[in-house]
Amino acid sequence: MSASDTLAAASSPDPDAPVAPPRLRVAPSPTGDPHVGTAYMAMFDLAYARKHGGQFVLRIEDTDRARFVEGSEQQVYDTLAWLGLSHDEGPDVGGPYAPYRQSERLDTYQPYVDKLLAEGKAYYCWCSAERLKEMREKQQALKQPTGYDRLCYGKTEEERAALPGFSDKPVVRMLIPDDVELEWDDLIMGRTSAPRPDDQVILKADGFPTYHLAVVVDDHEMAITHVVRGQEWISSTPKHLLLYKWLEVPAPRFAHMPLLRDEKRAKISKRKNPAARLTWFQEQGYLPEALLNFLALQGYPPIVEADGTEREVFTFEEFTQRFEWAKVNKAGAVFNLDKLNWLNGHYIRELDAGDLASRLIPFLHAEGLVGSHPTLPELGRLKLVAEQVQTRITTLQDAVPLVRPFYVADDELEIADDARATLKDGAAEVLDAAIAALEPIDGGIGNPDGTGVEWLAPRIEAALREAIIDGLGIKPRLAFGPLRVAIAGQKISTPLFESMEILGKHSTMTRLRALRDQL
């Protein structure tokens, strides 16, 4: 099937049941850390493509060379792979419509520009940047609509050169007709309209196409059937539909997604909000499945169970199975990190302890606590520690201070100032009682038949309760504070008795004695 046939087949009356397998794409620009919106659009693209047996394409739109950032493209691959949003075609995997990087497709665009120029639907503009700036300032001062005033239209280069504000490196502009169509049927917004566009530049002076031409040409050449993008692009849709019409190729269906908005209802921006960076979520230790769940809820309702209750926790597979454009919320939701934190905590608690331990390794390695490839004994200890921190953390990064005491040498454990401040006058007496109570307990693994004394949390707890609560008469909520400070060096820690078991008798006793000596 040709690209035109694929597009025509996909424009069936029921957009959620296309005649032909749909083709959708995400097309980020490598201008810095990937925006979280890239993942947001990609997951809706992928859900629809997978539900209907289609393809998901990754295209890199790198024609804005002034804003190009080295390494940004690789970040796109890495973050989408981290989220599990795998593409079927792209610069890194190839495909039948390669190349998928716009800077490698420059020869593709020129024939389309030549066609528009030859048919009088586009024209050269020699206006300098200074002249355009002055024009816009004058329009704004007079409270007129801003837009190109067509000074160059109908003139030869020589005629235009005789006028002020001339540049010998022209751009090419569309010639927007008076009867341009301003309405279309949007998969999400319904019947939608946009203001009349001005004569948009489609080819820059450096020979690179602008977004408006390149996106139309590439979507046609790559047989894209559905274009999913943010509502900020609604104003550009008439230009794009006009280009499809002029180039005599079928237009894809458009689905304009609700924007990701901050607490002030403004579009979430990388300049103002670190959470707009997709890499930020990795750095903070959010789980990819939690982030996908959260992003889905930004534009899609929860699952309604058979009894009518709503379920906000769902997998990407469940999201895909029930996906329909008609259910997308036109208004969207506020980007509420409290909701993401709640979701992430839920997903962390659902992990197997071994899985959680594996996910913690990069964060612990970054702090120098473990190697990048821990040994089996190290992994065994980390699994035990992971079980202790699992209910106490919201993100993987939260685990670092809780895990640290298990991986520092006993003589390098630092007592935090706020933890030391909690030590009262009776701390020395408590430590003395604890040391005396724990000393007789066998620090080995116990007898094979399970009898005898063992260095295990229940035995440790029983001995300490008898010595401190019963023996010293100290209230339970105050009894073990000095021991926590000695073992973890901080106010907030993992469960005391389980921590002692994991550390072992030698480290436990060494730390208790070290703090006692400091008092």
Side-chain angles (χ1 to χ4, degrees), residues 333-459:
V334 172
F335 205 81
N336 184 349
L337 289 181
D338 289 338
K339 172 60 70 67
L340 175 58
N341 289 335
W342 174 80
L343 281 169
N344 205 64
H346 171 83
Y347 277 96
I348 284 177
R349 290 188 291 276
E350 293 294 309
L351 291 177
D352 172 81
D355 187 3
L356 176 57
S358 297
R359 299 195 195 209
L360 288 174
I361 289 172
F363 297 89
L364 302 177
H365 175 61
E367 294 292 324
L369 299 177
V370 300
S372 57
H373 298 89
T375 63
L376 286 178
E378 288 175 329
L379 283 174
R381 168 174 278 203
L382 183 54
K383 181 179 178 181
L384 295 174
V385 175
E387 292 175 342
Q388 303 308 315
V389 305
Q390 193 160 15
T391 60
R392 289 168 165 76
I393 59 175
T394 298
T395 68
L396 298 177
Q397 188 68 56
D398 293 342
V400 174
L402 295 175
V403 174
R404 186 185 301 278
F406 295 94
Y407 289 91
V408 297
D410 298 326
D411 58 356
E412 294 180 0
L413 181 70
E414 296 182 2
I415 307 298
D417 291 340
D418 61 347
R420 192 180 296 277
T422 65
L423 298 174
K424 306 303 181 183
D425 292 340
E429 186 180 11
V430 169
L431 289 166
D432 286 335
I435 292 168
L438 296 177
E439 187 61 57
I441 300 179
D442 183 1
I445 61 172
N447 297 324
D449 62 359
T451 62
V453 210
E454 299 177 337
W455 186 264
L456 296 174
R459 178 68 183 89

Side-chain angles (χ1 to χ4, degrees), residues 3-221:
S4 297
D5 290 339
T6 301
L7 282 163
S11 299
S12 57
D14 182 0
D16 284 308
V19 174
R23 288 178 56 80
L24 295 90
R25 52 77 176 166
V26 67
S29 297
T31 55
D33 284 1
H35 194 282
V36 66
T38 296
Y40 180 51
M41 300 302 165
M43 70 177 297
F44 281 80
D45 283 326
L46 185 60
Y48 185 78
R50 293 289 179 265
K51 181 177 181 179
H52 296 289
Q55 292 81 44
F56 172 49
V57 179
L58 172 61
R59 186 171 71 228
I60 298 296
E61 298 192 343
D62 59 345
T63 58
D64 190 347
R65 305 310 291 177
R67 298 176 60 215
F68 176 80
V69 175
E70 191 70 38
S72 179
E73 182 177 322
Q74 186 60 49
Q75 285 184 316
V76 171
Y77 303 143
D78 293 344
T79 49
L80 292 183
W82 170 66
L83 287 167
L85 302 175
S86 56
H87 47 282
D88 303 299
E89 303 168 26
D92 56 333
V93 297
Y97 297 97
Y100 294 92
R101 192 178 289 110
Q102 283 187 340
S103 61
E104 298 173 0
R105 300 174 58 83
L106 297 184
D107 293 342
T108 303
Y109 310 116
Q110 193 60 51
Y112 291 94
V113 176
D114 293 341
K115 171 181 171 63
L116 296 176
L117 286 168
E119 295 176 357
K121 294 167 181 171
Y123 60 95
Y124 287 106
C125 173
W126 292 273
C127 288
S128 65
E130 293 76 17
R131 194 260 158 184
L132 294 175
K133 181 174 181 291
E134 292 174 2
M135 177 197 72
R136 284 190 293 269
E137 289 174 348
K138 182 177 180 181
Q139 290 170 340
Q140 291 169 352
L142 296 174
K143 297 185 179 180
Q144 296 175 342
T146 56
Y148 185 59
D149 58 6
R150 294 184 174 174
L151 176 64
C152 295
Y153 176 60
K155 294 182 175 64
T156 65
E157 181 176 1
E158 291 75 16
E159 290 171 336
R160 178 62 185 86
L163 300 175
F166 174 80
S167 170
D168 60 359
K169 294 180 179 179
V171 300
V172 176
R173 292 182 180 272
M174 298 172 64
L175 180 62
I176 303 295
D178 293 337
D179 61 349
V180 59
E181 180 60 51
L182 301 176
E183 294 186 350
W184 68 95
D185 291 317
D186 194 273
L187 289 168
I188 295 173
M189 306 298 293
R191 191 64 179 170
T192 307
S193 63
R196 186 182 187 281
D198 72 338
D199 289 3
Q200 179 69 51
V201 174
I202 57 174
L203 190 70
K204 294 179 285 188
D206 60 5
F208 278 72
T210 63
Y211 167 81
H212 301 285
L213 176 71
V215 73
V216 167
V217 170
D218 287 341
D219 284 345
H220 164 61
E221 294 267 344

Side-chain angles (χ1 to χ4, degrees), residues 260-271:
L260 299 176
R261 299 186 182 277
D262 62 21
E263 294 81 359
K264 297 181 180 179
R265 305 296 298 179
K267 179 185 174 183
I268 189 169
S269 164
K270 287 193 292 185
R271 289 184 293 103

Side-chain angles (χ1 to χ4, degrees), residues 168-344:
D168 60 359
K169 294 180 179 179
V171 300
V172 176
R173 292 182 180 272
M174 298 172 64
L175 180 62
I176 303 295
D178 293 337
D179 61 349
V180 59
E181 180 60 51
L182 301 176
E183 294 186 350
W184 68 95
D185 291 317
D186 194 273
L187 289 168
I188 295 173
M189 306 298 293
R191 191 64 179 170
T192 307
S193 63
R196 186 182 187 281
D198 72 338
D199 289 3
Q200 179 69 51
V201 174
I202 57 174
L203 190 70
K204 294 179 285 188
D206 60 5
F208 278 72
T210 63
Y211 167 81
H212 301 285
L213 176 71
V215 73
V216 167
V217 170
D218 287 341
D219 284 345
H220 164 61
E221 294 267 344
M222 296 180 182
I224 300 301
T225 62
H226 296 71
V227 171
V228 182
R229 59 189 184 187
Q231 291 174 0
E232 72 266 34
W233 292 107
I234 284 177
S235 62
S236 296
T237 306
K239 308 170 195 175
H240 300 166
L241 289 171
L242 182 60
L243 285 170
Y244 282 111
K245 178 180 177 181
W246 280 349
L247 298 176
E248 301 174 281
V249 296
R253 299 299 304 270
F254 286 93
H256 286 92
M257 292 286 297
L259 300 180
L260 299 176
R261 299 186 182 277
D262 62 21
E263 294 81 359
K264 297 181 180 179
R265 305 296 298 179
K267 179 185 174 183
I268 189 169
S269 164
K270 287 193 292 185
R271 289 184 293 103
K272 299 178 181 178
N273 193 326
R277 295 189 301 110
L278 193 49
T279 51
W280 181 83
F281 297 94
Q282 278 187 294
E283 296 162 359
Q284 296 301 307
Y286 288 99
L287 303 188
E289 51 267 53
L291 180 56
L292 286 178
N293 195 159
F294 173 71
L295 290 176
L297 290 171
Q298 295 299 292
Y300 210 78
I303 289 178
V304 179
E305 303 286 17
D307 61 0
T309 59
E310 291 187 343
R311 173 161 60 91
E312 292 188 313
V313 178
F314 49 81
T315 65
F316 183 71
E317 288 70 27
E318 289 178 301
F319 172 65
T320 296
Q321 291 166 6
R322 70 190 185 100
F323 183 77
E324 297 176 29
W325 294 116
K327 290 184 179 179
V328 177
N329 183 355
K330 298 177 184 179
V334 172
F335 205 81
N336 184 349
L337 289 181
D338 289 338
K339 172 60 70 67
L340 175 58
N341 289 335
W342 174 80
L343 281 169
N344 205 64

